[in-house]
């Protein structure tokens, strides 16, 4: 099957663990046939070559050159051939009768290098990043304080290619009508909808079970996953039972793996302040008490961040202007066509509010463009304050930059931005402002909150009228998860406010992946009118860092923590999938001196690879993560 030559030419040499030849459609590949016995006689002998799938004969073009003992066969597949497994059959016709036998199997993927393929993407650096790269960064936190989480897509790990093909095989579409499913696999739009539904387990034997309850005793906490490989292999090993558990970034990262393996350019997207509009009115209602406590009174919600996938494809089912990046969201939120999936929704259609087009553009448009109505309720549920914010939702939409471990702002791809500084990659608001007829209130964080330090916020009040006003002030802080309404208040001040900070002992249970919702309410003592400003933020873990250092020949990871006093015990894990055969986990003490851990380096393939390391601190929910990109040369 000339594996090395063909897979090098088709840029599939990363799948060297596969037993079958892996090639891309729309490009020729070569097969050698060695003859035994007597030489081939073209006067009396003839050959017929077929490529067949398990359900359909395929029309692949073939040509043949030969000498007396060996044939060289060139096979050319159409650029629209269905993705999947094929058998290569050779029929020999002689004077003694017909003989046939199977020569071998091969796997056919989409081809972003072929201009006739619907997934063709024009630049080589894009194909390197969005098709071939097996590691990346996921962005979380808040727009003002991004948290980058390293992720290993594990494209080339043993069993991952087979797991991605199994995902298509166990889908309801395949089980219902195998031949129809196979024929539809020529279309990336169809493939992407199948994969979007199969990543979650709500309607099928999907890969991941979602869990946002905070109780992960029956499985693995979503924050503990570091790559797609463990998840996909566990799913196959369990007989296609859902893996527990996933949340949005895990669903999106696993889908990105599957799509890249199948040859469809993909990238992971984070939308900060993402609206979940349940009634499709493009309005998210938020309710607060008159003392600043956020109330759970609406089915709508705002996630501090939400993560989905974009895939690049031609949309022959829509007008040509809709080609390019398409939103696909495997997190089970709303049904699309009766199934928990979302997309592919063209990004250009979202930007231009083409809600008349398929698929799911209204839902994604609301996620990045809805207005926020903030309503203050009295103890008798009377409205005593109201404000409208048209800029909060979709305040930052971003992905990993091509070729570099940093963020790329793509907000302008999704929505029209009034003003934009081309020199500034990230543009966000650092304060929240609301106003009444007579008073404007600003709530500002003096700096990004850091664990172990007081939280300093500034409340600025402006009286727009010449009449003096007597105001009562209420401050309220609540802990919250990124996708939930806040829990009970953990800090509050009312009336005449003494100048002070939120101390570390008051917010220590919030450090980690949780956030804080901070609100200030001003009450006009004469009119009882209220005006509110709020801010949601995460707390960074500073002063405790991991440096991943490669020191040859000792092969050592160094953890340098110069700002930590005393000893802190933590659970160290080294993750090196796709790079080294190493996965270690041990308890280590950290003090003011440098702590080192030795590992054995065994590169399995050449290229730029990601080495991950994480440290889970004992008796806290804090996990510090770090990574280092390493270039491995071929021998």
């Amino acid at each position: 099957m000339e594996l090395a030559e063909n897979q090098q030419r088709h840029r599939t040499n990363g799948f060297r663990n596969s037993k079958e030849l892996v090639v891309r459609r729309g490009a020729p590949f070569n097969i050698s046939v060695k003859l035994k016995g007597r030489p081939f006689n073209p006067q009396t002998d003839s050959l017929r070559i077929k490529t067949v799938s398990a359900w359909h004969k395929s029309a692949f073009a073939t040509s043949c050159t030969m000498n007396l003992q060996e044939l060289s066969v060139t096979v050319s597949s159409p650029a629209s051939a269905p993705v999947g497994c094929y058998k290569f059959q050779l029929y020999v016709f002689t004077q003694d009768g017909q003989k046939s036998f199977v020569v071998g199997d091969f796997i056919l993927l989409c081809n972003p290098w072929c201009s006739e393929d619907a997934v063709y993407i024009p630049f080589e650096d894009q194909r390197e990043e969005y098709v071939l790269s097996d590691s990346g960064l996921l962005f979380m936190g808040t727009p003002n304080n991004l948290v980058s989480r390293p992720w290993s897509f594990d494209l080339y790990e043993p069993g991952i290619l087979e797991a991605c093909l199994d995902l298509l095989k166990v889908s309801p579409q395949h089980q219902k009508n195998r031949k129809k499913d196979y024929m539809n696999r020529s279309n990336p739009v169809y493939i992407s909808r199948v994969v979007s539904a199969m990543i979650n387990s709500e309607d099928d034997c999907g890969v991941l079970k979602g869990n946002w309850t905070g109780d992960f005793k029956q499985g693995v906490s979503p924050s503990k996953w570091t790559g797609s490989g463990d998840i996909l292999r566990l799913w196959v090993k369990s007989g296609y039972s859902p893996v527990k558990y996933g949340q949005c970034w895990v669903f999106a990262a696993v889908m990105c793996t599957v799509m890249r393996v199948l040859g469809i350019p993909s990238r992971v997207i984070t939308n900060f302040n993402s609206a979940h509009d349940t009634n499709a009115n493009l309005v998210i209602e938020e309710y607060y008490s008159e003392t600043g406590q956020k109330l759970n009174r609406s089915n709508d919600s705002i996630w501090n961040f939400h993560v989905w996938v974009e895939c690049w494809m031609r949309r022959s089912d829509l007008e040509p202007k809709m080609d390019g990046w398409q939103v696909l969201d495997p997190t089970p939120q709303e049904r699309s066509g009766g199934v928990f999936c979302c997309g592919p929704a063209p990004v250009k259609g979202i930007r231009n509010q083409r809600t008349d087009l398929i698929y799911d553009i209204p839902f994604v448009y609301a996620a990045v463009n809805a207005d926020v109505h903030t309503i203050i309720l009295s103890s008798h549920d009377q409205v005593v304050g109201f404000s409208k914010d048209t800029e909060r939702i979709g305040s930052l939409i971003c992905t990993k930059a091509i070729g570099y471990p940093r963020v790329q702002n793509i907000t302008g791809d999704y929505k029209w931005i009034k003003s934009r500084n081309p020199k500034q990659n990230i543009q966000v608001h650092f304060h929240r402002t609301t106003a009444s007829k007579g008073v404007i209130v600003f709530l500002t964080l003096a700096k990004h909150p850091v664990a172990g330090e007081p939280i300093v916020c500034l409340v600025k009040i402006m009286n727009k009228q010449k009449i003096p006003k007597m105001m009562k002030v209420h401050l309220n802080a609540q802990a919250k998860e990124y996708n939930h309404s806040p829990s009970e208040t953990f800090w509050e001040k009312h009336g005449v406010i003494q100048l002070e900070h939120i101390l570390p002992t008051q917010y220590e249970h919030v450090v980690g992946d949780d956030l804080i919702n901070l609100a200030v309410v001003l009450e006009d003592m004469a009119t009882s009118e209220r005006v509110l400003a709020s801010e949601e933020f995460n707390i960074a873990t500073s002063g405790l860092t991991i440096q991943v250092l490669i020191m040859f020949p000792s092969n050592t990871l160094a953890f340098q923590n110069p700002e930590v006093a005393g000893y802190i015990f933590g659970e160290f894990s080294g993750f090196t999938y796709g790079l080294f055969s190493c996965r270690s986990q041990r308890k280590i003490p950290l003090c003011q001196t440098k702590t080192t851990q030795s590992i054995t380096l065994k590169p399995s393939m050449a290229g730029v690879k990601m080495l991950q390391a994480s440290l889970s601190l004992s008796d806290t929910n804090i996990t510090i993560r770090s990574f280092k990109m390493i270039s491995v040369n071929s021998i």
Side-chain angles (χ1 to χ4, degrees), residues 71-82:
L71 307 177
S72 179
V73 181
T74 300
V75 182
S76 298
S77 65
S80 59

Side-chain angles (χ1 to χ4, degrees), residues 105-127:
D105 300 333
F106 66 93
I107 296 170
L108 193 67
L109 307 176
C110 293
N111 192 352
W113 285 265
C114 175
S115 60
E116 296 178 359
D117 198 310
V119 303
Y120 171 72
I121 192 167
F123 301 106
E124 183 60 26
D125 61 343
Q126 294 175 331
R127 294 187 286 255

Side-chain angles (χ1 to χ4, degrees), residues 600-612:
T600 301
L601 306 182
K602 294 182 179 179
S604 58
M605 58 188 303
V608 178
K609 302 300 176 183
M610 174 184 282
L611 172 62
Q612 293 190 48

Side-chain angles (χ1 to χ4, degrees), residues 359-378:
Y359 295 93
D360 307 305
I361 290 181
F363 183 76
V364 183
Y365 179 84
V368 300
N369 282 292
D371 293 339
V372 180
H373 289 180
T374 302
I375 302 158
I376 306 175
L377 298 176
S378 70

